[in-house]
Amino acid sequence: MRIKNHFLKILVYIVVALVLRYAVIPYALDAQAAWLQTLAILVIFGFGIGLVFIGTADVIEETTDVLKDRTGLAGGFLQSLGTAFPDMIIGIVAALGSLLVSGTDHIRAINLAIIAASATFGSNIYNILYSVWCVHRQNVADERRHSVFMVPYVPSLGKLKPLKDHRIKPTIKEMDGAIRVLMSLTLLTAFVASSMVVFGRVNEASNPLSGDLYQLIRPVGVILFLLCVGILYYFRKSNRAESPLEEVEVEERYYSRQSTARIWFDLLLSGVAILFAAESMVKAMEVFSQLTHIPFVVTGIAAGIIGCLGEMIVIHNFSVHPKGRIGDAIVGVAMDNIVTTLGASVVAIMGGIFLGGNSLILIFVVILTANTLLIEQISKLKNKLV
């Protein structure tokens, strides 16, 4: 059932997140019975993703264009602040948990820190690769000169129209900005990986796990934080004209009639819902790894899709219903990962990011490859605008 009252809708998300955190976890997830723990994990992920994360992604999507027009900030920048929040919170909550148990359970502290790192950086893989797919399908539509399904033979996921049929087209300046942001992300990713290898290797006496272990140390975390803030500030301005009223969705018309303070308040409440849902998910991930004996890094990487789900939904919707906003979506994906990297720097400053040698190589190589593929697809799209 779709709740039409926007404020009530957000309150429902908060209530659900609080129930997961303060009812499901203590009375089911912390129980001794494996079947009850499994049921609790399914409930946490089902309601956390299916209701809280997807619902708050809708709020972010509905408010982005209104705030962009009022503040002059880039839609992608505003979008990234909201959609990257789950990634950041999952990482920060896991890092806090790691610090809380570091004095009593060193192995658990390391495992939680691995979840923090693999979920934070792993989320960058999914949304970039899905963006590659969305822009690729847009390029296919342009090459064929007719609409194509987002996923072949799956009409329910929507169609992409050729750019010639878009009433409002993205601008070359937007595409140039997206490429520059992605190049910045590539450089940041290379900096993180290199600094972990050069400065962050954990000596054998301090490493309770088998194999190499690397940490993103605090001084590097501080430098990374400053770099991310600088990049976000540099790319904060919008390169797109104000949206015509006839192109604005019904939900956005609702927010266009609200005060800016009310919009920020709704986004703040959405953030509260995300915070409690993310805390429940981190605990569920830990218990899931213990039940299944799946490595924590694998659990963290898989959980990355949770954190970036909102961003994937936004770029999907902006691609299928562009109204000139596919440019915002592409910039938003790139900036989302800058914000996520900012969150990783905060976690590093807290002392909560560790990765094993193999996982470190795998995660960062895939991120760099995905960035390159997206830059190539954006370049092809940009050629259609010349």
Side-chain angles (χ1 to χ4, degrees):
M1 183 178 67
R2 185 177 179 86
I3 302 173
K4 294 183 179 180
N5 185 301
H6 292 68
F7 185 70
L8 177 61
K9 179 170 61 174
I10 296 171
L11 288 182
V12 169
Y13 302 150
I14 293 176
V15 170
V16 170
L18 289 173
V19 169
L20 295 178
R21 173 61 183 87
Y22 293 107
V24 177
I25 286 182
Y27 297 110
L29 194 63
D30 291 340
Q32 297 300 315
W35 71 268
L36 192 55
Q37 290 179 317
T38 302
L39 179 61
I41 291 170
L42 292 175
V43 169
I44 288 170
F45 281 102
F47 282 93
I49 298 173
L51 186 64
V52 178
F53 277 15
I54 291 179
T56 52
D58 286 341
V59 174
I60 293 163
E61 181 183 342
E62 291 163 7
T63 56
T64 293
D65 231 33
V66 179
L67 286 176
K68 177 194 73 66
D69 292 339
R70 292 185 184 181
T71 63
L73 296 173
F77 172 76
L78 292 165
Q79 169 191 321
S80 68
L81 294 179
T83 55
F85 193 67
D87 312 57
M88 293 177 64
I89 290 301
I90 288 174
I92 290 173
V93 168
L96 282 172
S98 174
L99 294 174
L100 289 174
V101 302
S102 60
T104 56
D105 191 341
H106 193 45
I107 292 179
R108 186 183 175 208
I110 294 293
N111 287 335
L112 284 170
I114 289 174
I115 288 178
S118 55
T120 301
F121 290 117
S123 66
N124 290 6
I125 295 173
Y126 299 107
N127 58 11
I128 289 288
L129 286 178
Y130 193 67
S131 303
V132 172
W133 176 254
C134 290
V135 181
H136 164 70
R137 293 302 291 171
Q138 180 63 60
N139 287 326
V140 170
D142 289 323
E143 290 166 4
R144 296 182 180 177
R145 299 176 182 271
H146 62 75
S147 297
V148 298
F149 293 127
M150 176 65 80
V151 178
Y153 310 110
V154 185
S156 60
L157 293 180
K159 287 183 175 183
L160 291 94
K161 299 186 294 185
L163 283 174
K164 65 182 180 63
D165 296 332
H166 291 197
R167 292 186 61 185
I168 306 174
K169 297 179 176 62
T171 66
I172 293 176
K173 194 172 182 180
E174 280 182 291
M175 299 297 99
D176 285 339
I179 290 173
R180 289 197 299 271
V181 176
L182 282 166
M183 288 300 298
S184 301
L185 177 63
T186 298
L187 294 174
L188 285 176
T189 303
F191 171 71
V192 171
S194 300
S195 62
M196 290 183 77
V197 171
V198 174
F199 303 111
R201 183 167 182 175
V202 179
N203 60 53
E204 293 183 4
S206 303
N207 181 8
L209 308 178
S210 59
D212 293 332
L213 187 66
Y214 297 90
Q215 181 182 20
L216 189 61
I217 60 176
R218 284 190 177 93
V220 174
V222 172
I223 295 171
L224 183 63
F225 179 86
L226 295 174
L227 289 172
C228 290
V229 170
I231 291 169
L232 289 170
Y233 181 80
Y234 182 81
F235 291 106
R236 72 193 186 283
K237 290 296 184 179
S238 175
N239 292 317
R240 184 164 67 86
E242 185 171 331
S243 302
L245 182 61
E246 66 270 15
E247 297 294 342
V248 176
E249 300 290 347
V250 172
E251 292 84 356
E252 292 164 354
R253 290 177 185 169
Y254 168 83
Y255 276 111
S256 68
R257 295 193 296 268
Q258 307 302 318
S259 68
T260 302
R262 163 64 198 283
I263 295 173
W264 285 115
F265 183 65
D266 278 13
L267 289 174
L268 176 63
L269 291 180
S270 298
V272 171
I274 291 171
L275 173 62
F276 286 107
E279 187 178 357
S280 301
M281 288 181 185
V282 169
K283 179 66 176 177
M285 283 186 279
E286 186 182 4
V287 173
F288 177 77
S289 286
Q290 293 168 349
L291 287 174
T292 61
H293 305 291
I294 292 174
F296 283 86
V297 66
V298 175
T299 304
I301 292 174
I305 197 170
I306 300 168
C308 71
L309 190 62
E311 183 62 50
M312 293 171 68
I313 292 170
V314 170
I315 189 170
H316 178 94
N317 291 344
F318 281 5
S319 299
V320 175
H321 310 290
K323 299 181 176 63
R325 296 165 69 173
I326 190 170
D328 270 346
I330 296 170
V331 174
V333 166
M335 297 193 77
D336 176 279
N337 290 341
I338 301 289
V339 175
T340 303
T341 306
L342 176 69
S345 71
V346 173
V347 175
I349 294 169
M350 295 165 59
I353 276 193
F354 289 88
L355 281 174
N358 291 337
S359 57
L360 185 149
I361 294 170
L362 176 64
I363 289 173
F364 289 110
V365 165
V366 174
I367 291 174
L368 292 171
T369 302
N371 287 350
T372 304
L373 291 172
L374 184 53
I375 289 171
E376 190 265 343
Q377 289 299 320
I378 293 172
S379 298
K380 289 180 67 175
L381 182 65
K382 180 183 170 183
N383 290 338
K384 309 293 191 308
L385 301 171
V386 177

